[in-house]
Each structure stands twice: as C-alpha cells, then as structure tokens.
Amino acid sequence: MAEKYKDELPISVLPDFEDFDIELTSKPKVTVIIPTKNNLKYIINNINSWNNVVEYDNYEIIIADTGSQPEVFETYKSLLNSRIKLIKYNYYNFAKINNDVVKNHVSDDTELLLFCNDDIVLLNDALSRCVQIYNENKDTVGTIGIRLHYGDSSIQHNGITLSMNDDRLMISHKDIKKINNYSTDVNYNSIGNTGGFLLIKKKLFKSFDGFNEDYIECLEDVELNLRCKSLGLKNITVSDAVAIHYESISRNKISGGNERFVEDYKKLLVFINENNINL
C-alpha cells in the first residue's frame, strides 16, 4: 500500500535548498501556465507555494482546467484573484492546451512563459532566480529549468539527458533518484529541461509554433529543447532553484500511457534523425 501511494506520502526530510536574496534590475512579465484536472489538493498546494516563497511581483498564473468535476470549480473561487485566472477546456493534450493558452489568453506584455505542472511545490523563490539567469543570458538562452525532487526527496529532474546506444535513444534526467551528491550548480550546457517547470521567451516559443502537437503523451518538451539547441541557444538548468514534483500523479490516472509513450518516442527519434541532431 505504501509503495502504491508513495508519491503522495508526506515528506519527512526536505532536500537541500537555500533561500535567495535577489535584486533584479529588470522584471519582465512572466505568465505561468498550469494545466490541471481534478487534482485539487495539488493545485492548491502549488498556488500556496507561489504565494509563500515567490518575491517576484510581475507574474500572473493561468490555471488551464481540462474538465474537473463541478465541485472543483467551486473551490477555485477561493484561489482566483487579479493575478490568478482560470481558463476552462473540455479535453486534455499537453501541447494543445499550452499552445492555446499562449495564443489566446496570454497578454501582449508577457515576455516570458513558464510551463508548470499542477503537482509542483516550490521550496524557494525559483521564479526570481530563473529570471535573474534569463536577464544575464537573454540573447543566448533557450529554456530554463530547475532542480525537481520526487515526494521521497530523491531527484526527479536536474536537467534532461539524451544519448544514443546502438540506434536506441536513451532518455533520462541527470542525477535521477539520487538523494545526495547531486549537482546544485547552474548548468549552462544542459540538454534541456522538463515541461514540468520550463521557462522560455514567448517570442521564441511562438517562433516554433509552440509545442509540437503531434505528440500525444509526452516528449514534446524534449523536442522543444532540441529546437533551441539547433539554433545555437543554450538551455540552462538552475540547480539551486528547487521544487518538489509529485511526478506521475496525473499521468498514472490515464490508461494506455506506455503505448502512447512508445509512439511519442518514435516521433522524437524521427525528429532527431531528420534534423541531424548530435547527442
């Protein structure tokens, strides 16, 4: 029973992180996009973490609900304010939902997009830190991500890793499952960052026509990162900015995920081969 629900168990020991004292000379507007469906406990914890640890004041959050039960919408009323708004959808596809929000609901004055899963809980002011890194690398940066931990405090994401082994594409995350001796530095030469928490210039994202909507389960974020690298941009993983990511809570509710992953894996492999991307 404990194994089945391990992602949702309370955390007894938090991972290492530091509080930031960041002074920014520029505060571009950030729109945070959070798709969700019936994950009320997690979206509440997510929003509360932004309220509790983020000092950055030029951001908005768009909750993209993809078909929750009516009672969930009643609870949303206590979350919504001038900074947090709700958009309703009657379907779920990660790429399509996020693309639609960017095309139709993000304000013109937004400079940066931050794609965020609903089961993220920030431990420090990752937004200010990521904007600081963006300001310092504005002309050369692709995506920016952070260090994410599973609910048991082990590493879920510290940057994407990709390699080819006898024509087989190996996809993972740096330091995966480590509970110590993981990187806490800024990696300016990362392969990329998970769409679970990914910052990117709106102008750059729209130049790609957003996420590739041909993917049905995942890996559209990996392709986005590789598109950035193909332009000579650097993807940066900011490993001193930290959050808990209760990874797979939503995905495990959807049957057939493994079969869809295989199809998406094939699409990504075709993209890599057709674009002669060196790994």
Side-chain angles (χ1 to χ4, degrees):
M1 186 66 71
E3 176 66 21
K4 180 178 180 180
Y5 293 104
K6 65 180 181 179
D7 285 336
E8 301 185 43
L9 292 174
I11 299 169
S12 57
V13 180
L14 288 174
D16 294 333
F17 67 94
E18 62 177 296
D19 293 323
F20 298 120
D21 183 15
I22 298 172
E23 293 188 10
L24 297 168
T25 56
S26 175
K27 293 185 177 181
K29 183 174 181 180
V30 182
T31 295
V32 183
I33 304 171
I34 309 177
T36 189
K37 179 181 178 180
N38 288 326
N39 274 351
L40 190 56
K41 178 174 73 172
Y42 296 98
I43 190 68
I44 289 174
N45 289 339
N46 183 315
I47 297 299
N48 285 342
S49 74
W50 288 83
N51 293 334
N52 292 336
V53 304
V54 172
E55 298 292 334
Y56 197 80
D57 56 10
N58 193 19
Y59 76 96
E60 66 175 355
I61 293 176
I62 297 177
I63 299 173
D65 189 282
T66 62
S68 293
Q69 297 298 316
E71 57 268 23
V72 172
F73 290 100
E74 285 299 312
T75 305
Y76 280 151
K77 292 178 182 178
S78 65
L79 295 178
L80 305 180
N81 53 45
S82 60
R83 171 169 282 164
I84 304 172
K85 63 182 179 180
L86 173 69
I87 307 297
K88 297 180 182 180
Y89 294 89
N90 59 6
Y91 67 93
Y92 175 77
N93 175 282
F94 179 86
K96 289 181 180 180
I97 292 291
N98 283 295
N99 288 349
D100 185 80
V101 172
V102 173
K103 290 175 184 176
N104 297 308
H105 302 287
V106 171
S107 59
D108 291 339
D109 60 343
T110 289
E111 183 172 339
L112 296 171
L113 304 169
L114 201 164
F115 301 101
C116 182
N117 281 16
D118 60 356
D119 51 355
I120 291 282
V121 174
L122 300 179
L123 296 183
N124 59 9
D125 190 356
L127 181 57
S128 293
R129 182 66 169 128
C130 287
V131 172
Q132 181 183 46
I133 295 296
Y134 167 74
N135 287 341
E136 294 170 354
N137 300 273
K138 181 178 299 192
D139 296 329
T140 58
V141 69
T143 73
I144 299 174
I146 66 174
R147 190 176 91 227
L148 300 174
H149 289 256
Y150 286 113
D152 64 2
S153 201
S154 65
I155 292 287
Q156 185 263 327
H157 169 270
N158 212 2
I160 293 170
T161 62
L162 292 176
S163 61
M164 294 295 294
N165 184 4
D166 295 329
D167 294 326
R168 184 181 179 189
L169 178 64
M170 311 299 291
I171 308 170
S172 188
H173 291 164
K174 182 181 178 182
D175 295 332
I176 188 76
K177 282 293 186 179
K178 283 188 176 182
I179 58 172
N180 51 41
N181 297 322
Y182 46 74
S183 174
T184 59
D185 298 325
V186 179
N187 181 0
Y188 291 93
N189 193 34
S190 180
I191 291 293
N193 300 287
T194 174
F197 193 100
L198 184 150
L199 187 78
I200 188 172
K201 283 185 283 192
K202 181 179 72 173
K203 182 177 180 180
L204 177 61
F205 184 76
K206 294 181 79 169
S207 75
F208 297 135
D209 291 325
F211 289 111
N212 185 343
E213 296 182 6
D214 289 339
Y215 293 91
I216 53 177
E217 176 70 16
C218 57
L219 302 182
E220 59 276 285
D221 53 348
V222 179
E223 180 177 309
L224 180 73
N225 282 282
L226 294 177
R227 286 186 181 276
C228 290
K229 290 187 75 68
S230 71
L231 295 178
L233 300 172
K234 56 186 178 184
N235 299 321
I236 303 174
T237 302
V238 186
S239 295
D240 55 2
V242 188
I244 300 297
H245 184 194
Y246 295 95
E247 165 74 6
S248 81
I249 284 171
S250 300
R251 187 173 298 166
N252 284 346
K253 294 179 181 178
I254 305 172
S255 63
N258 288 337
E259 291 81 3
R260 292 194 298 274
F261 175 82
V262 170
E263 292 303 310
D264 288 341
Y265 173 90
K266 293 175 182 177
K267 293 185 181 81
L268 181 63
L269 193 57
V270 169
F271 170 82
I272 290 172
N273 290 331
E274 287 184 347
N275 291 275
N276 298 313
I277 293 175
N278 295 319
L279 302 176

